[in-house]
Amino acid sequence: MSLYLDAAVAAARAAGGLLREHFGRTLDVNEFHAHDIKLALDVETQELITRLLLEQFPDHAIFGEEGIGGNQDSPFQWIVDPIDGTVNYFYSIPHFCTSIAVRRDGKILAGVIYDPMRDELFATAQGEPATMNGQPMAVSQRTKLGDAMMSIGLSKVTEAINTNLPVLEDMIHRVRKARMMGSAALDCAYVASGRLDAYVEAGISIWDVAAGMLLVENAGGKVVMTPRKDKPGKFAIIASSGHIPEIEEKAAVIAK
Ligand code: LIP
């Protein structure tokens, strides 16, 4: 297992170095959308990760936000989000990361999320603790809704925004603070590290949260991932400590 985790860490750190190098500079934009931006650097960063992983595992598959690579028939699939929080990155907001997970026959074996601006590396593997910079981490032990810190992602298309917004409008009056920070992967890492009590969002893709799901579970939390009926390949996620049931109950509306 450490073979895969070590490879993911090395690739994530290499990607992080590239992102730090280009942060704050003029960036080539491939696509502008109403609530999203696709950068040439997204593609370049995934190409770097792909090269590093396929050098070590030439028969594996790559499945990333910027496309596929390797042997798509392999039982091993690397799930890559080269820049999670691309819009933050474009606006020079230092809240983004690289997320890399590997699954075999659909079961996630290992996951890494690296925030290069804070040099925070979140990592875990099946049957192992969730760690931040090598130190074990655990979900929040808070039990009161009024003490909770909650992140709610609004996503990038109207349907998803309209699904997520009612949860924000409801929960903002019930929790300590509701946040929208723009990186699903870091939101998951923050739930796993106890900074957040929950993160919910309808309209995310598997590459946004594949590593984060395993981190939250191995840190003692809960993840409910519901495929969106209206959008193939999109999911609603409720990632939480599991200690404040009202959050999961109220957020369940995004999974309908
Ligand atoms: C982002 C997610 C975020 C979501 C954004 C976007 P990207 O991923 O991390 O939670 O709200 O719409 O999908 O596109 O920056 O990799």
Side-chain angles (χ1 to χ4, degrees):
M1 197 70 74
S2 64
L3 183 67
Y4 304 129
L5 189 57
D6 293 350
V9 168
R13 285 195 178 280
L18 186 64
L19 297 180
R20 270 197 304 269
E21 180 189 337
H22 289 274
F23 184 72
R25 295 187 181 175
T26 303
L27 299 164
D28 291 336
V29 176
N30 286 346
E31 298 170 32
F32 276 112
H33 297 279
H35 307 297
D36 195 24
I37 291 174
K38 306 291 286 178
L39 299 173
L41 190 61
D42 283 294
V43 176
E44 182 183 349
T45 305
Q46 182 165 318
E47 285 171 348
L48 169 62
I49 294 166
T50 296
R51 179 168 56 76
L52 293 172
L53 292 174
L54 293 186
E55 273 173 4
Q56 196 166 353
F57 310 105
D59 291 338
H60 286 192
I62 304 288
F63 181 71
E65 181 166 17
E66 304 311 322
I68 60 174
N71 171 15
Q72 292 301 304
D73 296 326
S74 171
F76 288 92
Q77 184 184 61
W78 293 84
I79 306 170
V80 178
D81 191 345
I83 311 176
D84 186 66
T86 300
V87 175
N88 283 350
Y89 189 92
F90 176 76
Y91 283 86
S92 298
I93 296 170
H95 188 80
F96 56 87
C97 64
T98 293
S99 179
I100 300 173
V102 59
R103 61 184 177 185
R104 178 174 186 171
D105 298 325
K107 180 179 180 170
I108 299 174
L109 301 179
V112 170
I113 292 170
Y114 182 49
D115 173 348
M117 304 308 281
R118 295 178 185 80
D119 194 26
E120 288 186 336
L121 184 97
F122 303 90
T124 195
Q126 272 298 334
E128 295 182 21
T131 62
M132 183 178 82
N133 292 346
Q135 298 304 308
M137 63 180 180
V139 296
S140 159
Q141 296 305 306
R142 290 181 287 266
T143 57
K144 292 181 185 158
L145 186 59
D147 292 341
M149 285 292 287
M150 182 175 180
S151 178
I152 300 168
L154 292 186
S155 201
K156 54 182 82 171
V157 295
T158 302
E159 297 90 339
I161 293 170
N162 290 340
T163 301
N164 292 307
L165 209 46
V167 177
L168 174 64
E169 289 168 336
D170 180 13
M171 299 309 286
I172 200 163
H173 300 289
R174 300 173 186 271
V175 297
R176 177 86 67 203
K177 280 289 185 182
R179 298 287 191 223
M180 292 178 292
M181 298 191 285
S183 170
L186 281 179
D187 284 342
C188 290
Y190 286 15
V191 171
S193 65
R195 293 172 179 170
L196 291 175
D197 297 277
Y199 154 61
V200 303
E201 183 166 1
I204 50 102
S205 301
I206 188 63
W207 48 71
D208 293 315
V209 296
M213 288 162 61
L214 190 60
L215 277 165
V216 171
E217 289 167 352
N218 284 3
K222 273 176 67 178
V223 178
V224 177
M225 273 280 274
T226 309
R228 299 263 316 169
K229 300 182 184 71
D230 57 339
K231 288 271 181 194
K234 294 293 185 183
F235 299 84
I237 187 171
I238 301 172
S240 70
S241 66
H243 298 311
I244 309 179
E246 301 100 301
I247 289 185
E248 294 138 61
E249 289 158 14
K250 292 289 182 185
V253 66
I254 68 169
K256 295 206 182 339

